[in-house]
Amino acid sequence: MITEARTGPGTQVRVGALAALLLVLPAAAAPLCTPQMPPTWVVVSAWVAVMALVWAQARVLSHHVAVSAGSLWHDALLATLACASALLVLLLPVLRGAAGMGEALAVLVLVEAAAAVVSLGTGLSTLAQARRGADPRVVWSVAAGAVAVVSQVLWPLRMAVPALREPWPSAALAVVVLLGWAVVVAGLVRASVPAEVQRRRAPWDEDLVSVLTCGTVATGVLLVGALVGIPTAAALAAALALVLLLSKVRLLVRELVSLQGSHEAAVTDELTGLGNRRSLVAALDAALQTREDVALLLLDLDRFKHVNDAMGHLAGDELLRQVAARLRGVMVSGAVLARLGGDEFAVLLSGPAARAAHEVALGVHAALLQPAAVEGHLVHAPASIGVAQRAAAVTGGAGGHVTSTGDDLLRRADTAMYAAKTGRSGVAVHGHDHDRRARELLQTAEELRVALAHGELVLHYQPQVAVADGALVGVEALVRWQHPRRGLVAPDAFLGVAQDVGLGEAVTDAVLRLAVAQAAAWRAAGTPVRVSVNLTAHDVQPALVGRVSGLLLAHGLRPGLLAVEITETSVVADPVRAAAVLRDLVGLGVEVSVDDFGTGHSSLTLLLQLPVHEVKVDRSFVAALCTDSARRHVVRATVDLAHGLGMRVVAEGVEDHDVLAQLADLGCDTSQGYLHSRPLPPGQLTAWMAARASAPALRAG
């Protein structure tokens, strides 16, 4: 059903109704002037009046049925000719004999009567299709059709019954006809047009039945004519009706093809050719009505946003098409594939395939691990896949059907997919613990919004000291959440949630504000120290430069006292853009550090592309320095490489003196870890710095 605004005055309906009244006046008033049949031009004028009325009625009907007025006008002509052919066969001899009419005049009268019958039929069709009481013109349309039929019956009746040709009866009939036309036309003209009309879709099957009925009548007339002979006018009307019938059938076939195309478009994803969300929901609902096993796989591409941001949406679209092709290539028979939107796809399995849903999901995951060639680049976009199942044995209700719903299965698959993404497991099958974690994550997200508004995020700072002499060279800002009920919450418990719900930028802004303010406070207290802030892939955007510059100016902080830490994986998706943003930050005077160096895929290339001041060796290499010669060689090579490129080296995760001594032997510049201090609140770190300044330096060895 389609809702359309109809704010116009219904001018076409009113013009048609007024034209009908003017054209019918000569015929309606003729009994006042002559007891005989009026001239031929008067009868023709009356026929045109009825057709004008039908045109106005078709306009009213088109307001309630989603079909053009032109198509309705075509139908009206077809029905008029078919009806006229039948009336000419049945009544033409009667009119010529009992009423004493000439053949031409009798033909015109019967054609006019057929038009009147069509007028009444149009009004009744409008009444059947319109919502009751919504459009006052509908009742007037039916009344107008009834008046047209009555006015057409009175002329032959008057000619057949001599008493009706007397002056007073004749005048009375004329007045009745005139008043009838005047009343219904006034009703159509004065009736208000609804501001909003519920338009029903064209009843295609009903249209076909009416067309076939007209064709049957016309064909029957011609068959009768072939057997016993019929008036030439009847044969001509029937032939013209069949010509219009062929034209109408052609239109119906075209509409059917268009309707089929519209249906396919409504359930098909235009980009990939897979089904869309609507088709999946329909297939899922149908599958759940059976007693078979049902499984739903929901998959979301990892890092797809990076592809869109780095290469543009056309490249993203090409990647989605390739993903769809791979899904088709590995899918089991009978599976329903759909793209739900964005980078989210779904696979519906039934029967034996549903029982192997986990194996199917693993196959899909493996297929998407292979890189895709997009615009000359190899793009990695693996997927996180959630699996939700409904076993046929889990039944309930009087009918024995399962109680699972499509929405429930979609929700559980989505929950499992999120678990696979956060756990980086690739595939996860839904379990009750996933629902619990999903509720906890939802609660965490809502509480985090409140935390950002109320300033509940705080920073702890971990010192970075020179390996050579133990001097403090900087601190790393590490965010914590001072939760009103849960106490101090570690970053792992909320940073991932922040990114997923779109709060990552707000968290980074809060960290930057706190870090710059604290660095400015330490500088004002006479103990300037460089503060490093961690950034995610989403943070390395051109707008970051303006935000950092504004904070530095607002607090009067020298840019060299601020550093930003990035990971290799956060910039590998778009190193060109990342390099441009980081160069702008370096242009302000801010330093850049590469965190977790050695754990990514493109370390050496990134060191050459990015304006880096410092490299931080990951704790997984540092912790095993004394026991793993291979890792020791990796750290030595990293130190030599960084120094060769003019960069400093920071070792993370230093927890004992033996490791510190090894770092000194390797020439590492800076040490960070629990050996020196845990991350501390600002006040405690200030006290730590004061105590450090008054105590002998902690040296290597």
Side-chain angles (χ1 to χ4, degrees), residues 459-463 475-478 511 514-516 518-519 522 531-532 677-682 685:
L459 296 184
H460 287 193
Y461 300 87
Q462 187 170 38
V475 295
E476 180 180 359
L478 301 168
V511 171
L514 292 170
V516 171
Q518 185 58 54
W522 279 325
V531 177
S532 299
S677 173
R678 292 176 176 272
L680 299 172
L685 185 64

Coordinates of all heavy atoms in Angstrom, one line a residue, residues 459-463 475-478 511 514-516 518-519 522 531-532 677-682 685:
L459 N 44.3 9.4 34.0 CA 45.6 8.9 33.4 C 46.5 8.5 34.5 O 46.7 9.2 35.5 CB 46.2 10.0 32.5 CG 45.4 10.4 31.3 CD1 46.3 11.4 30.5 CD2 45.1 9.2 30.4
H460 N 47.2 7.4 34.3 CA 48.3 7.0 35.1 C 49.5 7.1 34.1 O 49.4 6.9 32.9 CB 48.2 5.6 35.6 CG 47.2 5.5 36.8 ND1 47.1 4.4 37.6 CD2 46.3 6.4 37.2 CE1 46.1 4.7 38.5 NE2 45.6 5.8 38.3
Y461 N 50.7 7.4 34.7 CA 51.9 7.6 33.9 C 53.0 6.7 34.3 O 53.3 6.5 35.5 CB 52.4 9.1 34.1 CG 51.3 10.1 33.7 CD1 50.3 10.5 34.6 CD2 51.3 10.6 32.4 CE1 49.4 11.5 34.2 CE2 50.3 11.5 32.0 CZ 49.4 11.9 32.9 OH 48.4 12.9 32.6
Q462 N 53.6 6.0 33.3 CA 54.7 5.1 33.6 C 56.0 5.8 33.1 O 56.1 6.2 31.9 CB 54.5 3.8 32.9 CG 55.6 2.7 33.3 CD 55.3 1.3 32.8 OE1 54.7 1.2 31.7 NE2 55.6 0.3 33.6
P463 N 57.0 5.8 34.0 CA 58.3 6.5 33.6 C 59.1 5.8 32.5 O 59.0 4.5 32.4 CB 59.1 6.6 34.9 CG 58.1 6.3 36.0 CD 57.0 5.4 35.4
V475 N 57.4 10.0 30.1 CA 56.4 9.2 30.7 C 55.4 8.8 29.6 O 55.2 9.6 28.7 CB 55.7 9.8 31.9 CG1 56.7 10.1 33.0 CG2 55.0 11.1 31.4
E476 N 54.8 7.6 29.8 CA 53.7 7.2 28.9 C 52.4 7.3 29.6 O 52.3 6.8 30.7 CB 53.9 5.8 28.4 CG 52.8 5.3 27.4 CD 53.0 3.9 27.0 OE1 54.0 3.2 27.3 OE2 52.1 3.4 26.2
A477 N 51.4 8.0 29.0 CA 50.1 8.2 29.6 C 49.3 7.0 29.3 O 49.1 6.6 28.1 CB 49.5 9.5 29.0
L478 N 48.7 6.4 30.3 CA 47.9 5.2 30.2 C 46.6 5.4 30.8 O 46.5 5.8 32.0 CB 48.6 4.0 30.8 CG 50.0 3.6 30.3 CD1 50.7 2.7 31.2 CD2 49.8 3.1 28.9
V511 N 41.9 11.8 26.7 CA 43.3 11.5 27.0 C 44.2 12.6 26.6 O 45.1 13.0 27.4 CB 43.7 10.1 26.4 CG1 45.2 9.9 26.5 CG2 42.9 9.0 26.9
L514 N 43.8 15.6 29.1 CA 44.4 15.3 30.4 C 45.9 15.3 30.3 O 46.6 15.8 31.2 CB 43.9 14.0 30.9 CG 42.4 13.9 31.3 CD1 42.0 12.5 31.6 CD2 42.1 14.8 32.5
A515 N 46.5 14.7 29.2 CA 47.9 14.5 29.1 C 48.6 15.9 28.9 O 49.6 16.2 29.5 CB 48.2 13.6 28.0
V516 N 48.0 16.7 28.0 CA 48.6 18.0 27.8 C 48.5 18.9 29.0 O 49.4 19.6 29.3 CB 47.9 18.7 26.5 CG1 48.3 20.1 26.4 CG2 48.2 17.9 25.3
Q518 N 48.4 17.9 32.1 CA 49.4 17.5 33.1 C 50.8 17.8 32.7 O 51.6 18.2 33.6 CB 49.3 16.0 33.3 CG 50.1 15.4 34.4 CD 49.8 16.0 35.8 OE1 48.7 16.0 36.2 NE2 50.8 16.6 36.4
A519 N 51.1 17.7 31.4 CA 52.5 18.1 31.0 C 52.7 19.6 31.3 O 53.8 20.0 31.7 CB 52.6 17.8 29.5
W522 N 53.4 20.0 35.0 CA 54.8 19.7 35.4 C 55.8 20.7 34.9 O 56.7 21.0 35.6 CB 55.1 18.3 34.8 CG 54.6 17.1 35.7 CD1 54.5 17.1 37.0 CD2 54.1 15.9 35.2 NE1 53.9 15.9 37.4 CE2 53.7 15.1 36.3 CE3 53.9 15.3 33.9 CZ2 53.2 13.8 36.2 CZ3 53.4 14.0 33.8 CH2 53.0 13.3 34.9
V531 N 55.5 13.7 27.6 CA 54.4 12.8 27.8 C 54.0 12.2 26.5 O 53.7 12.9 25.5 CB 53.1 13.5 28.4 CG1 52.0 12.6 28.6 CG2 53.5 14.2 29.8
S532 N 53.9 10.8 26.5 CA 53.5 10.1 25.3 C 52.1 9.6 25.4 O 51.7 9.1 26.4 CB 54.5 8.9 25.1 OG 55.8 9.3 24.9
S677 N 59.1 1.5 37.6 CA 57.8 1.9 38.3 C 56.6 1.4 37.6 O 56.6 1.2 36.3 CB 57.7 3.4 38.4 OG 56.5 3.8 38.9
R678 N 55.6 1.1 38.3 CA 54.3 0.8 37.7 C 53.7 2.1 37.3 O 54.2 3.2 37.7 CB 53.4 0.2 38.8 CG 53.8 -1.2 39.2 CD 52.8 -1.8 40.3 NE 53.2 -3.1 40.6 CZ 52.7 -4.2 40.0 NH1 51.8 -4.0 39.0 NH2 53.0 -5.4 40.3
P679 N 52.7 2.1 36.4 CA 52.0 3.3 36.1 C 51.4 4.0 37.3 O 50.8 3.3 38.1 CB 50.9 2.9 35.1 CG 51.4 1.6 34.5 CD 52.2 0.9 35.6
L680 N 51.6 5.3 37.5 CA 51.2 5.9 38.7 C 50.3 7.1 38.4 O 50.4 7.8 37.3 CB 52.4 6.5 39.5 CG 53.4 5.4 39.9 CD1 54.7 6.1 40.5 CD2 52.8 4.5 41.0
P681 N 49.4 7.5 39.3 CA 48.6 8.7 39.2 C 49.5 9.9 39.2 O 50.6 9.8 39.7 CB 47.6 8.7 40.4 CG 47.6 7.3 40.9 CD 49.0 6.7 40.6
P682 N 49.0 11.0 38.7 CA 49.9 12.2 38.6 C 50.6 12.6 39.9 O 51.8 12.9 39.9 CB 49.0 13.3 38.1 CG 47.9 12.6 37.4 CD 47.7 11.3 38.1
L685 N 53.3 10.1 40.8 CA 54.4 10.2 39.9 C 55.3 11.4 40.2 O 56.5 11.4 40.1 CB 54.0 10.2 38.4 CG 55.2 10.1 37.4 CD1 56.0 8.9 37.6 CD2 54.7 10.3 36.0

